[in-house]
Amino acid sequence: MTAVAEVPAAAESSRPVAVRRRKRVRPARVVLHVFLTVTALVWLVPLVWAVYTSLRTFADTSQHGYFSLATALTFENYENAWEQAGLPHYFLNSVIITVPAVLLTLLFSASVAFFVSRFNFKVNLFLLMLFTAGNLLPPQVIITPLFRMYLLIPLPDWLSNGSGLMYNSFFGVIMIHVAFQSGFCTFVLSNYMKTIPHELTEAALVDGASVFRQFWQIILPLCRPAFAALATLLTIWIYNDFFWGLVLFQTGADRPITSAISSLQGQYFSNQNLIAAGALLTAIPTLAIYLALQRQFVSGLTLGANKG
Amino acid sequence: MTVITDAAENVAGAGVPGSGRVRRLTGRDKIVLGLMVGIPTLLHVVLVWVPTLVSVLLSFTRWDGIGGLATIKFIGVQNYSTMFTVSPTFWPAVQHNVIWLVFFVLLPTPFGVFLAYQLDKSIRFTRFYQTAIFLPVVISAAVTGFIWQTIYDPDNGLVNSILGTNKPGGTYIEWLGNSHLNLWAVLVAASWKQAAYIMILYLAGLKGADPSLREAAALDGASEWQTFMRVTFPALKPINIIILVVTIIESLRAFDLVYVVAGTNGTKPGLELLSILIANNILGESSLVGYGSALAVVLLVISLAPILSYVFQTFRKEQQS
């Protein structure tokens, strides 16, 4: 690794190796740090600008313009966005959708992954291809018939939050999330389960453990790291969903926060300060999850990417 | 390993005599396994693949969605001929999707790869750089749209404020309103996410690569550019394919960000995309189920190329083994 790191310096100066070994600040390194720092700061500009806008009062910005030094910084816009637009209600909708969707996706994907990775059935490869390909389809390809299907499928009231249909129900949105996301998760989990030694389940099999016990008591506990990574990733993905929440609910009131925010813009968020505050409030949960569980999130992404 | 394989083969080809060392799956085990794979597969097929196929069927019909299923009328390829010849929005949408894809392939994706390559060197503060650049990926595309609206707003936005093009009497630059500009403005915002996403994916690939290859190339006196082009890049073929597929799929899926910045009804001249046209057929007042399905079939056909090549590439190895 260090040898690679020294390549730029080696290319520029023709000094002997012994000199390069010493810890010195190399010009190429400085250039690299300057470049990365500038990039990182440029990448932060939109967020910082939104935060800055959201912390200023409307009176201040309408008098001095947005591109000016703030006379005062307050959380007023956040309070207003939170209360006027009734954000807690939409956050609750998001929780009602996201939590069951993540848990069900993990359970279903783990079941299928167990099947395809621990047994040698002929259908395994086809199943994996089906799930993986399905996960890659753009959602818009299926929305027209899906929307019609959801309008035709009746649901009991307790499942449909009163609408009597798959359409307009939390259940319907949860199901499409599970159906879509289980493609990616099955792929990742089956690769993960393949790395678990067969001797473990073999021993259980000899002891007479049922298939379900092998799954539940041996394989699942061993997949904990993969579950943690995928759960983090899925929570952010599903919470961030805009499309299903927009199309599969008729009215804004039932929508999760990410989808609801576009209709709230016209109704409640009348100025830039409020829009910025509302947008950032919506982003806070995912930002918090990412900053707290960065390792899990990144490894979730890379679990899928590494096993090509 | 072989023991289990044998046992499983016995199940697959029922009746074939096994090694006898491991007992076969019991009837109850088979039922449990059947349910474990059956329920998720059924859900996936019913909600993803059945609508895909129904989309193809419906694209040859006319239906306003109001009457029952009996009012669906078969009209042949009329939806397609309307789409290709009459529709004022179809070709612009295709064009914008192509621009989107080419832009992504040329700018944010290579930039993300470049960032990953730089960050993979053992340097200080790498965690800070990665965290800062990666933040846009965890923010939803919808919220990204709102954040960039505060940047592009003609009166109060950051860009016009810096350029001084928001002064009274001056010429406003309508970044999101001008149909010649708005696609590019949106692409910049989308690249903010895309480059970061590619960076993290590629970084994962680089971490998994064998560092001795690069070290050997460096010892042989290869320049950094040569090392990357001739050694690192070819060695990372699997991740390169994933990057390419992700780039294509993300270009075809582009929706949220555009829908948000396009305003209340989700369409603005200059910002038509296939995904937007399809959604508007459902969200809008006129619901043309057949026509919307025909649009979806076009999107499907385009998507199948990267999807199938990815799936076959990924699973070919396993098929051989």
Side-chain angles (χ1 to χ4, degrees):
Chain A
M1 210 60 200
T2 40
V4 175
E6 278 164 357
V7 172
E12 272 167 39
S13 67
S14 52
R15 283 166 215 239
V17 181
V19 180
R20 264 189 279 126
R21 283 274 167 222
R22 273 203 316 226
K23 283 208 166 177
R24 266 192 328 114
V25 183
R26 290 176 292 270
R29 253 313 129 95
V30 175
V31 171
L32 181 57
H33 275 289
V34 170
F35 166 73
L36 288 172
T37 307
V38 170
T39 308
L41 292 179
V42 167
W43 244 247
L44 286 174
V45 163
L47 262 183
V48 170
W49 175 254
V51 171
Y52 183 56
T53 304
S54 71
L55 290 174
R56 303 181 65 183
T57 62
F58 183 62
D60 176 17
T61 46
S62 53
Q63 197 190 340
H64 301 105
Y66 282 81
F67 194 61
S68 59
L69 276 180
T71 51
L73 296 175
T74 79
F75 285 103
E76 220 171 84
N77 294 308
Y78 289 88
E79 283 169 36
N80 289 342
W82 184 260
E83 279 162 20
Q84 285 171 19
L87 290 191
H89 170 72
Y90 300 100
F91 276 110
L92 184 65
N93 289 348
S94 282
V95 173
I96 294 174
I97 290 170
T98 308
V99 173
V102 170
L103 295 177
L104 260 184
T105 305
L106 290 179
L107 179 69
F108 279 14
S109 322
S111 304
V112 179
F114 176 73
F115 183 89
V116 298
S117 64
R118 310 300 290 186
F119 300 92
N120 255 342
F121 293 114
K122 292 246 158 59
V123 70
N124 288 354
L125 191 68
F126 172 74
L127 271 178
L128 267 179
M129 289 167 104
L130 187 80
F131 273 93
T132 309
N135 177 247
L136 290 172
L137 281 176
Q140 289 83 18
V141 165
I142 65 168
I143 189 57
T144 305
L146 190 82
F147 178 74
R148 292 290 146 197
M149 258 169 69
Y150 270 36
L151 280 171
L152 291 172
I153 301 175
L155 277 188
D157 273 352
W158 62 272
L159 257 184
S160 67
N161 33 319
S163 74
L165 294 170
M166 274 289 257
Y167 179 60
N168 247 342
S169 73
F170 291 132
F171 180 77
V173 176
I174 292 169
M175 283 302 122
I176 191 65
H177 277 305
V178 174
F180 236 88
Q181 301 293 348
S182 52
F184 173 74
C185 294
T186 301
F187 176 64
V188 170
L189 284 173
S190 73
N191 280 335
Y192 198 87
M193 287 182 191
K194 274 175 199 160
T195 64
I196 298 174
H198 272 275
E199 285 75 15
L200 282 173
T201 37
E202 202 180 304
L205 198 67
V206 173
D207 289 347
S210 70
V211 163
F212 186 73
R213 278 192 63 184
Q214 290 175 38
F215 171 65
W216 199 253
Q217 296 187 332
I218 299 175
I219 299 295
L220 283 197
L222 287 172
C223 290
R224 244 182 241 140
F227 283 135
L230 286 176
T232 312
L233 199 63
L234 281 177
T235 305
I236 292 180
W237 262 207
I238 294 176
Y239 174 89
N240 276 349
D241 161 65
F242 177 74
F243 182 67
W244 300 123
L246 178 77
V247 177
L248 296 177
F249 287 112
Q250 187 170 23
T251 54
D254 294 318
R255 288 187 180 134
I257 180 74
T258 309
S259 310
I261 191 164
S262 74
S263 51
L264 294 177
Q265 183 195 15
Q267 281 177 279
Y268 300 100
F269 301 157
S270 45
N271 59 56
Q272 292 243 30
N273 315 57
L274 272 175
I275 292 175
L280 289 169
L281 277 172
T282 309
I284 283 172
T286 52
L287 289 174
I289 291 174
Y290 167 62
L291 292 174
L293 302 171
Q294 195 173 0
R295 195 176 293 273
Q296 262 74 26
F297 184 83
V298 172
S299 72
L301 275 180
T302 55
L303 271 175
N306 253 342
K307 269 287 221 165
Chain B
M1 185 77 185
T2 42
V3 179
I4 287 289
T5 312
D6 287 348
E9 267 165 10
N10 291 347
V11 177
V16 179
S19 62
R21 274 198 289 162
V22 175
R23 69 192 176 90
R24 292 183 197 177
L25 295 172
T26 65
R28 217 174 125 217
D29 281 345
K30 284 181 194 165
I31 294 173
V32 168
L33 271 179
L35 288 175
M36 279 172 71
V37 78
I39 295 173
T41 308
L42 188 72
L43 183 76
H44 182 75
V45 168
V46 167
L47 292 189
V48 175
W49 290 108
V50 169
T52 306
L53 294 177
V54 172
S55 231
V56 177
L57 294 179
L58 282 176
S59 73
F60 298 106
T61 66
R62 182 188 294 135
W63 187 30
D64 60 7
I66 298 165
L69 295 177
T71 58
I72 301 177
K73 252 177 73 181
F74 179 77
I75 56 164
V77 294
Q78 204 180 310
N79 287 322
Y80 290 95
S81 59
T82 310
M83 186 164 70
F84 292 139
T85 56
V86 185
S87 161
T89 48
F90 175 72
W91 289 113
V94 171
Q95 192 195 352
H96 297 152
N97 268 110
V98 171
I99 291 176
W100 194 293
L101 174 63
V102 173
F103 188 90
F104 263 27
V105 168
L106 290 181
L107 286 170
T109 299
F111 189 64
V113 171
F114 178 72
L115 282 176
Y117 192 70
Q118 301 306 325
L119 285 167
D120 190 43
K121 299 169 180 170
S122 47
I123 50 168
R124 302 172 102 196
F125 316 123
T126 181
R127 183 137 289 261
F128 164 74
Y129 297 137
Q130 283 181 41
T131 306
I133 297 172
F134 193 65
L135 280 178
V137 180
V138 298
I139 298 175
S140 70
V143 168
T144 306
F146 286 105
I147 289 176
W148 282 81
Q149 269 184 344
T150 67
I151 291 186
Y152 286 135
D153 188 88
D155 285 306
N156 308 316
L158 182 63
V159 187
N160 275 1
S161 298
I162 291 176
L163 295 175
T165 42
N166 63 343
K167 298 276 185 295
T171 44
Y172 283 96
I173 301 180
E174 297 260 5
W175 294 101
L176 298 171
N178 183 328
S179 64
H180 297 291
L181 278 179
N182 50 14
L183 183 65
W184 304 102
V186 167
L187 278 170
V188 170
S191 302
W192 186 55
K193 280 175 83 86
Q194 174 73 6
Y197 188 38
I198 295 299
M199 172 192 82
I200 224 75
L201 287 181
Y202 212 79
L203 204 49
L206 286 169
K207 291 256 186 289
D210 183 4
S212 62
L213 278 175
R214 273 162 76 174
E215 283 167 21
L219 284 177
D220 285 347
S223 74
E224 203 181 355
W225 174 250
Q226 283 173 327
T227 312
F228 179 74
M229 287 310 287
R230 306 251 176 95
V231 179
T232 311
F233 192 75
L236 288 173
K237 196 181 166 212
I239 189 81
N240 292 336
I241 290 168
I242 290 177
I243 297 292
L244 189 64
V245 170
V246 165
T247 302
I248 299 174
I249 295 285
E250 290 297 315
S251 312
L252 295 172
R253 277 185 174 175
F255 176 85
D256 308 6
L257 179 58
V258 176
Y259 188 88
V260 167
V261 300
T264 43
N265 56 1
T267 31
K268 229 175 207 177
L271 288 179
E272 298 94 347
L273 292 171
L274 286 173
S275 59
I276 295 275
L277 298 188
I278 295 168
N280 278 337
N281 237 308
I282 290 164
L283 297 163
E285 281 167 16
S286 65
S287 173
L288 304 169
V289 177
Y291 185 73
S293 300
L295 285 167
V297 170
V298 172
L299 190 59
L300 171 70
V301 170
I302 303 173
S303 320
L304 278 181
I307 292 176
L308 290 181
S309 54
Y310 170 73
V311 166
F312 284 111
Q313 164 79 27
T314 306
F315 295 111
R316 202 175 45 198
K317 277 174 292 177
E318 303 190 20
Q319 209 161 17
Q320 282 163 355
S321 65

